[in-house]
Amino acid sequence: MSLSHLKRLEAESIHIMREVVATAQSPVMLYSIGKDSAVMLHLALKAFAPGKLPFPVMHVDTTWKFKEMIAFRDRMVKEHGLDLIVHINQDGVEQGIGPFSHGSATHTDIMKTVALKQALDKYGFDAAFGGARRDEEKSRAKERIFSFRSEGHRWDPKNQRPELWNIYNCRINKGESIRVFPLSNWTELDIWQYIHQENISIVPLYYAAERPVVMRDGQLIMVDDDRMPINEGEEVLHRKVRFRTLGCYPLTGAIESEADTLEAIIREMLLASTSEREGRVIDRDTDASMEQKKKEGYF
Amino acid sequence: MTSLSITDISDYLKEQEQKSYLRFITCGSVDDGKSTLIGRLLYDSKLIFEDQLAALEKDSKKQGTQGQDIDFALLVDGLAAEREQGITIDVAYRFFTTDKRKFIVADTPGHEQYTRNMATGASTADLAIIMIDARKGILTQTKRHSFIVSLLGIKHVVLAINKMDLMSFDQEVFKKIGEEYRLFAKGLGFEEIVSIPLSALKGDNILKISENTPWFRGPSLMDHLESVQIDTNEAEKPFRLPVQWVNRPNLDFRGFSGTIASGSIAEGGEIVVLPGAKTAYVNSIISADGNVRNAEFGEAVTICLDRELDISRGDVISKVDSRPEITDQIQAHIIWMHEVEMLPGRPYLIKTNNRTLDGVITDLRHRVNVNSLEHESAKTLALNEVGLVNIKLGQKIVFEAYVENKTLGSFIIIDKFTNATIGCGMIKFGLRRASNVHWQAVDVGKESRAKQKHQSPKLLWFTGLSGSGKSTIANLVEKKLHAMGKHTYLLDGDNIRHGLNKDLGFTDADRVENIRRIGEVAHLMVDAGLIVLTAFISPFRAERRMVREMVGTGEFIEIFVDTPLEVCEQRDVKGLYKKARAGELKNFTGIDSPYEEPEAAEIHVNTVEFSADEAAEIVVNKLGY
């Protein structure tokens, strides 16, 4: 009798993580606190049990994350004895970069993409796990599980290493690095099913609750702190909302929902008529925006 | 679905957890409608969200090839370059679920120049859909796709005869193509070939049997994909666990982690660790579900043994009664995946499922013409070519033939300098030669021979362009060393080419073999205790490094005779540059064949600043005899 699809995905992810630990000099796990990161962390704990994680987890903090995300992160660190690195782009902070003052593109570039590159260089990590999935977006569908980055962290989609069977080429020269995506073959539904099956903790923002929001450019943006300017004609509404994806609060649209249990979230997902990244402002800028960002070093 | 209740969801999730899984690949050429087919499968199984559909409609009008209709191909062709060119240039993975199964589709390009991408997609697939344009029938590319699919070990094939709408859904057309294909595919080892008449564009026979083909009894493509039984008897095969990583979090725990490549294991079972052949019993098994009594094929586990054994990454754990083979020489089919051609004799890295080691392709038995499947003789393999080769590995590996066990029978080939993945291979069998030819152990060794001569043996490797002064300087150095009472021997390029290597020409492949033979001869002479001087252009880093690795540490002294091309060309002692410029000499280093300068030569001599005698003096001084 062969393994069910979740078992197969689980084994594949564990194999990938062990391969990195067996071959990389200095690996790190990028931890974005979202549901995919939660699953990735859960799988890593399994892969290296009964030991602790043999690498640090790193959060690139844009300083605009939801407060509940940070609280959840710190809880996970404590529960699992994680070695956490938090990196903030201090240059960006000094220049006062933020999504409201500089727009989503500049903010994401400086506080996320540049910050990530800074952090990888600073600690000299040669392999970094990320929780991206191939079903998320068109250019990700073609990215390798072991995604080679040249010096300067650039991705060249036309020059990817062929990736056969489960034999991964982890070799790099000095200055080069590899991004590794253990969840490449998982879908959004797989992630939710697995969270359900394994009873994995996720940030409460995924569950519907009454939250203060403002309707802006057709999206419900949560008022998470007093840095959020309320424009003329805008009104802070108290709506029962939840988030399908988490990021910087000013760039993450909420959806109105009654789903306050995992079953209800999955039910809602099955009935959904828009894809997950719809709620993310950065993808909509241009047609090939994700591919461009990835070439520049975005996860 | 709108009435889905929470209890339904719990049932639904339980059902989902038991769902099976199928990975398949679609092969076809640019215009066969492959991307359209996948787009159609996603669309018809309602897996396209409203926002994606809206974007698709917008894109279809802007870039589509279907007028005002939706161009499904745009849904699948992800990269900007592909959308612009209207072709699929890389493997894209698509996901969809039906009530019965979950699917991962590898959508791969069909052009001959993308054979490597097809092989990549096929390596993880259980089934292949081979697309045929009903108007054109079986083409060369159909044969190529089928061969690659068979080479990668796929047993289930769907022959998707597409664009039937353009042939008025004529049964005769369908029948003829199907029969012709079966005849062709006889030798390819497929277990099952199912032909289906399709129109991917219009949706005929995709989800259900079309009214346009009343003569076709089915199944529809989706019915077949949902019900096809992929017989994996991997769990019944002998137990194999390639050790991927040793888990040693503290002194009290020592476990061996890996993914079970075949068979099953239970607590208390007796195992043997290869290639070392030490035996032990399984104390405990940790799987993804925690401590378990047994585990089987496909699971990622960590096992602990009842005694301390020296086990490391690269070993394979098996049961005692049925062991895999061990060898350091294999015969394998390889697919070359890089623009720089494969050269027998050049050192590469071979990565198997759980270890990376040195490897040299000792013999290219034949090249397979991927279009005709004929065997051709060849000296090298270019990008996307397939060949049968012998490989000598730096160490012994535990392996099985690819047809027996994909995990233990597969490997990739990595370039030692760029680290690019440049090929992949499927092991046919181990060559016995390894165990029969032993290095003759002798009592008088290199050390005692060198001692008798009062010198430390060295290989002085002069490299540089033709006319750079290698031979002249090497000659002077030998004279000086000889005068000092040293025992020397000079191997000169031209002299060797008159004898030992007179069968070799000047192609890249022959140049590599030339240097390999010289390296072996020099190695023997160094072993005899001599100071060996060689003067060969030796243009490639890889070969100089190969020779460096043949002799002992510190014995290889690379001497870069650095003379700019213009100067060499001006000197043109033998008139060769003139001939090369006139096109009378092909593959001339510096003109139409590359010279790769040493990156870290032990000695660097500049012949523009110094005379030959001064240069020789510099070399001798640096040697410090």
Side-chain angles (χ1 to χ4, degrees):
Chain A
M1 133 113 203
S2 53
L3 301 180
S4 73
H5 82 277
L6 279 181
K7 283 269 152 221
R8 254 177 96 166
L9 289 170
E10 182 183 59
E12 181 183 72
S13 301
I14 290 174
H15 180 88
I16 291 162
M17 292 185 182
R18 286 174 175 167
E19 192 66 12
V20 171
V21 167
T23 55
Q25 302 265 331
S26 175
V28 66
M29 177 172 281
L30 273 295
Y31 181 62
S32 71
I33 320 176
K35 63 181 195 310
D36 302 299
S37 275
V39 167
M40 184 163 63
L41 178 62
H42 184 81
L43 289 164
L45 291 165
K46 285 187 174 201
F48 305 106
K52 285 186 179 177
L53 294 194
F55 44 74
V57 297
M58 183 162 79
H59 177 220
V60 175
D61 190 354
T62 61
T63 73
W64 290 90
K65 300 293 172 190
F66 291 92
K67 283 184 299 228
E68 280 187 76
M69 288 173 73
I70 303 298
F72 181 85
R73 176 194 77 191
D74 295 341
R75 203 186 100 205
M76 286 299 114
V77 167
K78 222 167 146 189
E79 250 172 51
H80 302 294
L82 305 177
D83 174 9
L84 174 76
I85 296 171
V86 177
H87 180 83
I88 296 173
N89 180 354
Q90 289 302 337
D91 299 343
V93 171
E94 276 159 34
Q95 290 171 45
I97 303 289
F100 295 124
S101 47
H102 295 76
S104 75
T106 307
H107 167 72
T108 307
D109 180 51
I110 294 182
M111 299 309 287
K112 220 166 156 177
T113 308
V114 174
L116 174 63
K117 290 194 260 185
Q118 271 177 355
L120 293 174
D121 290 340
K122 178 178 171 190
Y123 297 98
F125 295 123
D126 58 351
F129 293 107
R133 308 187 317 266
R134 283 173 173 157
D135 77 327
E136 278 178 81
E137 196 273 335
K138 281 194 246 184
S139 71
R140 281 200 164 141
K142 304 208 166 182
E143 188 164 11
R144 304 290 184 254
I145 294 174
F146 280 60
S147 183
F148 174 77
R149 302 299 162 105
S150 58
E151 232 167 325
H153 310 281
R154 296 183 83 87
W155 180 57
D156 179 1
K158 285 190 184 161
N159 194 19
Q160 299 195 76
R161 292 174 175 177
E163 199 165 75
L164 295 106
W165 303 288
N166 61 354
I167 306 180
Y168 303 105
N169 180 350
C170 321
R171 294 184 69 88
I172 47 168
N173 285 320
K174 207 163 175 268
E176 299 164 345
S177 60
I178 292 187
R179 305 275 170 94
V180 184
F181 303 107
L183 304 181
S184 287
N185 288 327
W186 295 61
T187 63
E188 187 182 6
L189 184 58
D190 295 330
I191 293 286
W192 284 114
Q193 278 176 22
Y194 192 67
I195 289 171
H196 181 262
Q197 178 186 299
E198 302 278 308
N199 205 10
I200 299 170
S201 305
I202 48 171
V203 183
L205 291 163
Y206 286 111
Y207 297 103
E210 194 167 283
R211 297 185 171 99
V213 290
V214 163
M215 179 61 89
R216 186 173 290 176
D217 300 331
Q219 302 238 14
L220 286 169
I221 303 295
M222 180 170 156
V223 186
D224 196 49
D225 59 38
D226 52 19
R227 288 180 294 177
M228 169 134 172
I230 308 298
N231 300 332
E232 230 183 85
E234 283 179 348
E235 188 190 342
V236 180
L237 312 164
H238 290 268
R239 294 274 180 82
K240 195 160 184 189
V241 296
R242 66 177 204 88
F243 296 87
R244 288 180 67 184
T245 168
L246 295 179
C248 296
Y249 82 81
L251 302 178
T252 310
I255 51 165
E256 290 200 68
S257 166
E258 294 294 324
D260 50 10
T261 63
L262 201 50
E263 286 81 3
I265 291 174
I266 295 172
R267 174 176 178 274
E268 197 175 89
M269 216 209 97
L270 290 170
L271 302 175
S273 59
T274 54
S275 66
E276 179 185 22
R277 299 186 73 87
E278 175 82 333
R280 248 182 235 192
V281 181
I282 74 158
D283 282 353
R284 300 198 302 174
D285 293 352
T286 64
D287 211 19
S289 81
M290 179 62 85
E291 186 182 339
Q292 193 52 39
K293 284 195 172 62
K294 290 177 74 68
K295 283 183 187 170
E296 287 159 11
Y298 181 72
F299 236 84
Chain B
M1 278 283 259
T2 35
S3 60
L4 212 58
S5 73
I6 295 298
T7 31
D8 292 339
I9 285 291
S10 299
D11 291 345
Y12 168 84
L13 287 170
K14 271 201 200 96
E15 231 175 78
Q16 289 291 315
E17 283 167 17
Q18 300 312 317
K19 238 183 215 181
S20 67
Y21 191 56
L22 183 77
R23 290 196 185 201
F24 68 92
I25 175 179
T26 53
C27 334
S29 230
V30 189
D31 299 321
D32 292 348
K34 194 162 37 77
S35 296
T36 308
L37 176 71
I38 295 176
R40 171 63 75 175
L41 283 172
L42 298 179
Y43 180 78
D44 284 354
S45 45
K46 306 267 183 301
L47 285 155
I48 297 177
F49 290 118
E50 277 171 13
D51 58 320
Q52 290 173 327
L53 196 60
L56 181 64
E57 277 167 3
K58 194 181 101 205
D59 287 354
S60 294
K61 286 188 183 134
K62 207 163 80 186
Q63 297 163 320
T65 55
Q66 298 302 325
Q68 289 302 301
D69 289 340
I70 291 176
D71 185 351
F72 292 106
L74 290 178
L75 196 69
V76 186
D77 291 343
L79 300 177
E82 294 177 26
R83 285 202 297 277
E84 282 154 21
Q85 295 162 21
I87 53 160
T88 313
I89 58 172
D90 207 332
V91 191
Y93 296 91
R94 297 285 145 192
F95 305 83
F96 67 97
T97 308
T98 67
D99 289 341
K100 299 196 179 114
R101 247 188 188 159
K102 292 195 55 99
F103 298 93
I104 297 187
V105 192
D107 180 18
T108 63
H111 277 294
E112 185 163 353
Q113 68 260 38
Y114 299 121
T115 296
R116 63 172 164 182
N117 307 67
M118 223 202 94
T120 302
S123 72
T124 51
D126 306 314
L127 173 146
I129 297 181
I130 293 174
M131 305 270 308
I132 289 182
D133 185 332
R135 296 169 303 172
K136 299 178 187 157
I138 291 171
L139 300 177
T140 304
Q141 40 132 342
T142 316
K143 297 183 181 171
R144 178 171 68 246
H145 297 157
S146 304
F147 172 61
I148 302 293
V149 160
S150 129
L151 196 60
L152 271 295
I154 295 176
K155 299 283 177 215
H156 296 263
V157 167
V158 173
L159 196 64
I161 302 173
N162 193 27
K163 304 198 182 180
M164 284 298 290
D165 52 324
L166 300 178
M167 297 300 285
S168 320
F169 295 99
D170 184 346
Q171 183 179 9
E172 278 314 302
V173 171
F174 173 73
K175 240 174 92 183
K176 199 172 142 271
I177 294 174
E179 278 164 14
E180 199 188 325
Y181 185 80
R182 268 165 216 283
L183 204 64
F184 154 76
K186 248 184 182 162
L188 293 178
F190 299 139
E191 278 170 17
E192 178 191 54
I193 301 169
V194 174
S195 309
I196 304 176
L198 292 178
S199 166
L201 197 64
K202 313 274 185 216
D204 295 274
N205 291 324
I206 301 282
L207 289 197
K208 47 185 198 317
I209 303 298
S210 165
E211 287 166 9
N212 291 321
T213 52
W215 43 267
F216 179 64
R217 273 175 302 165
S220 72
L221 181 60
M222 188 64 97
D223 277 344
H224 181 61
L225 293 177
E226 282 184 328
S227 62
V228 59
Q229 284 305 316
I230 305 294
D231 253 337
T232 56
N233 59 346
E234 300 303 315
E236 281 80 56
K237 287 184 178 173
F239 174 68
R240 308 282 185 250
L241 176 67
V243 176
Q244 189 183 12
W245 182 67
V246 178
N247 188 353
R248 195 132 207 223
N250 55 57
L251 291 175
D252 302 327
F253 185 89
R254 189 181 172 88
F256 306 100
S257 300
T259 306
I260 301 177
S262 62
S264 59
I265 188 73
E267 234 177 47
E270 188 179 14
I271 57 93
V272 58
V273 184
L274 299 166
K278 294 239 169 60
T279 60
Y281 289 88
V282 176
N283 249 358
S284 60
I285 305 168
I286 303 175
S287 80
D289 298 327
N291 277 292
V292 291
R293 302 202 68 112
N294 41 56
E296 64 168 32
F297 163 70
E299 290 188 76
V301 297
T302 298
I303 67 172
C304 301
L305 304 176
D306 68 333
R307 66 199 75 174
E308 286 243 345
L309 289 185
D310 183 21
I311 301 176
S312 51
R313 176 177 165 86
D315 290 344
V316 175
I317 298 177
S318 111
K319 284 185 185 163
V320 281
D321 52 1
S322 162
R323 307 177 183 202
E325 288 180 69
I326 298 167
T327 187
D328 61 356
Q329 293 206 51
I330 50 171
Q331 186 161 101
H333 274 111
I334 63 172
I335 302 174
W336 201 247
M337 301 181 143
H338 203 264
E339 287 76 11
V340 179
E341 62 188 353
M342 182 283 282
L343 298 176
R346 172 167 285 189
Y348 296 114
L349 288 173
I350 304 288
K351 183 167 186 188
T352 68
N353 182 263
N354 66 343
R355 71 186 303 187
T356 305
L357 61 173
D358 286 320
V360 174
I361 292 158
T362 51
D363 190 13
L364 173 56
R365 310 279 303 175
H366 61 248
R367 179 174 65 204
V368 182
N369 181 323
V370 290
N371 295 324
S372 66
L373 309 192
E374 275 164 17
H375 296 178
E376 302 168 343
S377 73
K379 287 194 159 178
T380 68
L381 290 179
L383 176 64
N384 292 315
E385 290 187 338
V386 177
L388 182 68
V389 299
N390 290 350
I391 301 180
K392 167 93 177 72
L393 300 163
Q395 283 150 296
K396 293 204 155 138
I397 57 162
V398 183
F399 78 99
E400 281 185 285
Y402 185 76
V403 292
E404 291 297 320
N405 190 316
K406 283 191 184 182
T407 308
L408 264 68
S410 54
F411 59 89
I412 59 171
I413 305 171
I414 301 173
D415 185 274
K416 282 193 146 190
F417 296 93
T418 64
N419 291 321
T421 301
I422 52 181
C424 72
M426 286 114 322
I427 300 176
K428 269 189 95 174
F429 47 74
L431 294 165
R432 297 281 168 211
R433 230 170 15 204
S435 45
N436 294 335
V437 184
H438 293 285
W439 182 258
Q440 188 63 43
V442 284
D443 294 331
V444 181
K446 175 161 68 177
E447 225 170 281
S448 50
R449 286 188 290 260
K451 215 167 162 189
Q452 196 182 43
K453 298 182 178 67
H454 306 290
Q455 64 186 32
S456 50
K458 290 266 187 284
L459 174 51
L460 308 183
W461 191 274
F462 290 79
T463 172
L465 293 170
S466 174
S468 59
K470 295 179 302 295
S471 295
T472 314
I473 297 171
N475 215 340
L476 289 167
V477 170
E478 189 182 27
K479 262 164 100 178
K480 288 175 196 285
L481 291 174
H482 187 77
M484 290 159 72
K486 301 293 173 197
H487 298 259
T488 60
Y489 194 90
L490 172 63
L491 289 165
D492 183 76
D494 292 344
N495 299 344
I496 290 284
R497 280 197 176 272
H498 285 135
L500 177 64
N501 291 352
K502 70 177 168 195
D503 57 326
L504 300 177
F506 288 90
T507 61
D508 283 357
D510 281 358
R511 281 171 189 271
V512 171
E513 176 60 14
N514 180 41
I515 296 301
R516 190 193 68 78
R517 289 186 200 171
I518 291 160
E520 292 288 1
V521 170
H523 175 205
L524 289 174
M525 290 184 162
V526 168
D527 197 59
L530 297 176
I531 297 169
V532 184
L533 302 91
T534 67
F536 302 95
I537 299 173
S538 47
F540 304 124
R541 280 185 202 125
E543 281 68 57
R544 296 194 300 262
R545 186 182 162 131
M546 167 176 75
V547 178
R548 182 185 287 272
E549 284 167 4
M550 278 180 195
V551 297
T553 318
E555 288 177 345
F556 185 86
I557 309 290
E558 192 170 3
I559 301 166
F560 179 29
V561 182
D562 188 2
T563 310
L565 180 64
E566 310 83 71
V567 179
C568 294
E569 207 166 344
Q570 234 167 40
R571 291 181 189 161
D572 207 5
V573 195
K574 301 173 198 158
L576 297 174
Y577 282 97
K578 217 165 138 195
K579 276 194 190 166
R581 287 289 182 200
E584 291 163 32
L585 258 184
K586 287 280 164 220
N587 301 318
F588 196 76
T589 303
I591 307 292
D592 57 351
S593 182
Y595 178 77
E596 299 170 0
E597 288 192 2
E599 281 167 329
E602 276 80 3
I603 302 176
H604 185 157
V605 293
N606 182 325
T607 68
V608 179
E609 259 176 66
F610 300 103
S611 71
D613 198 58
E614 286 166 334
E617 199 59 40
I618 292 172
V619 173
V620 173
N621 285 339
K622 284 235 173 139
L623 290 173
Y625 279 117

